[in-house]
Amino acid sequence: MDGCKLSSFRRLCMFLASIEDEADVQVLFMRKRIKVTGFKDWDSMFYNNLLSIPVLITFSLLVEDWSLASFSRNL
């Protein structure tokens, strides 16, 4: 195997591992913040879902086809 290909493969593995580490750090940070604010499991689920609704609506309006023809075709 060529040394350059092995090097690029190693770089890819290191990059993927760093993404995993960042996700782990985010999960640990969110658990700590949930404990600090005193949320129970249901409270945090409700709050996270409440925060996601404006994001979903915004991207739906930006990406989806909201024309009258689309409504008549799909409904």
Side-chain angles (χ1 to χ4, degrees):
M1 188 181 278
D2 183 52
C4 182
K5 288 182 183 178
L6 184 61
S7 176
S8 62
F9 178 72
R10 285 184 183 164
R11 287 184 196 148
L12 177 64
C13 289
M14 288 174 57
F15 175 72
L16 293 175
S18 69
I19 289 175
E20 272 185 28
D21 291 340
E22 290 173 11
D24 294 340
V25 169
Q26 182 198 15
V27 167
L28 292 174
F29 177 76
M30 285 303 296
R31 283 186 182 176
K32 184 176 180 179
R33 292 305 308 163
I34 287 171
K35 285 182 182 179
V36 167
T37 55
F39 283 154
K40 305 287 185 243
D41 289 338
W42 189 87
D43 295 337
S44 59
M45 180 188 66
F46 178 77
Y47 184 68
N48 286 334
N49 287 335
L50 190 66
L51 288 176
S52 67
I53 290 172
V55 174
L56 292 172
I57 290 173
T58 302
F59 281 106
S60 178
L61 291 173
L62 291 174
V63 176
E64 299 292 329
D65 181 19
W66 286 92
S67 66
L68 188 59
S70 175
F71 273 121
S72 64
R73 184 177 58 241
N74 293 318
L75 299 177

